[in-house]
Amino acid sequence: HAAMTDRRVLLVFASAFLLQSDQNLLAPHLSAISAEFGMSDVERDEKLGGQLAAGLFLLGAPAALVLGALADQCSRKRLLA
């Protein structure tokens, strides 16, 4: 049972990392991304800091709802196996 517990803990940590990785990777690189695309500071803040982040949320929220519903329909044992 110890190996199964380790596997579940690893799965939880991997899921948490992947769920937040898009937002954590974007912020420190806004200046480099905007320079690559020739954006001004205002464009960087509006498009990358605002619109792109909002777009990621608008795509992620429905996906979370669908995956949450699937998680409710499947057994926990099957999902974690």
Side-chain angles (χ1 to χ4, degrees):
H1 291 283
M4 185 62 94
T5 301
D6 292 342
R7 186 175 172 191
R8 289 178 183 158
V9 169
L10 181 62
L11 178 65
V12 169
F13 280 118
S15 298
F17 174 78
L18 292 172
L19 286 171
Q20 298 300 321
S21 65
D22 60 338
Q23 292 144 358
N24 293 333
L25 293 175
L26 182 62
H29 297 75
L30 288 179
S31 295
I33 294 169
S34 66
E36 180 73 24
F37 289 101
M39 295 178 174
S40 69
D41 288 346
V42 172
E43 287 177 316
R44 176 195 66 207
D45 293 342
E46 288 177 354
K47 293 183 180 176
L48 296 178
Q51 294 173 354
L52 184 60
L56 290 172
F57 172 77
L58 292 174
L59 290 173
L65 293 173
V66 169
L67 293 173
L70 288 174
D72 289 341
Q73 293 175 0
C74 297
S75 70
R76 184 177 5 173
K77 184 176 179 180
R78 183 175 178 194
L79 288 173
L80 295 176

